[in-house]
Amino acid sequence: MKLLVFTKETLLFFIAIGVMLASISAWFMLKAGDVAVFNQPASKNVPEFHMVTAEFKTKMKNGKEIEVYRWNPGTIVINHGEKVKLYISGINGGDHPFYIEGTDIKGIVKKGEETVVPLQINKPGTYQLVCEAHADRQHNGPMIAYIVVN
Ligand SMILES: [Cu+2]
């Protein structure tokens, strides 16, 4: 009889400890979740992409210089319908007036300045970001980047 009582008390003790540990870990998990969700400002949820205008130059055997302007990185990948921000810094070259094929988006990137392009493309596909000043090889291009929309 005494042994039985002792066993019951021990069992109750361990159940009590178990409930306490479960509550404490649940509290910590919920607290960690809260921190992850609520400490992030809303603007941080918009993915950001950073691009620059770059230039490659080389000298031919005959002494002639050739060059090309590029968007760098040359490809970004986004999800359809997702709002993202594309920041383009003008480094090499002067003015880079641009448009994004298949959209109404156009603008200009100037040396020493940053242009912010809010993007939201609903239809999946590959969209070309084209610099009108350097669109092809004849105009020191092709200065074309590819926006892959999944
Ligand atoms: Cu350009």
Side-chain angles (χ1 to χ4, degrees):
M1 189 61 192
K2 200 176 182 194
L3 186 69
L4 189 67
V5 170
F6 175 75
T7 306
K8 262 187 185 169
E9 281 176 343
T10 309
L11 192 67
L12 280 174
F13 175 75
F14 278 115
I15 287 172
I17 294 282
V19 168
M20 228 160 69
L21 284 176
S23 314
I24 290 169
S25 28
W27 183 75
F28 269 108
M29 279 191 282
L30 287 174
K31 194 170 176 270
D34 286 350
V35 169
V37 174
F38 294 114
N39 270 7
Q40 275 187 331
S43 64
K44 276 281 168 205
N45 294 330
V46 178
E48 295 177 352
F49 292 86
H50 295 265
M51 219 176 244
V52 299
T53 64
E55 178 184 24
F56 295 114
K57 229 184 222 177
T58 191
K59 202 178 254 185
M60 304 287 283
K61 275 183 182 166
N62 61 13
K64 190 192 167 206
E65 269 201 344
I66 54 172
E67 62 178 347
V68 64
Y69 291 101
R70 299 289 299 153
W71 304 111
N72 187 292
T75 305
I76 64 167
V77 181
I78 64 176
N79 294 316
H80 74 274
E82 184 182 37
K83 280 185 180 168
V84 307
K85 271 185 182 170
L86 175 60
Y87 294 82
I88 312 176
S89 285
I91 308 297
N92 292 119
D95 288 359
H96 302 277
F98 68 87
Y99 64 92
I100 299 175
E101 222 173 55
T103 73
D104 298 333
I105 301 165
K106 50 170 64 190
I108 186 164
V109 179
K110 296 181 173 195
K111 193 182 192 76
E113 292 178 21
E114 185 177 59
T115 299
V116 184
V117 187
L119 281 179
Q120 187 179 22
I121 301 176
N122 293 321
K123 203 173 156 224
T126 300
Y127 295 77
Q128 298 195 353
L129 166 62
V130 183
C131 172
E132 291 178 285
H134 311 110
D136 53 36
R137 199 58 215 102
Q138 285 67 50
H139 301 90
N140 292 330
M143 189 176 180
I144 299 172
Y146 302 91
I147 300 166
V148 179
V149 181
N150 285 328

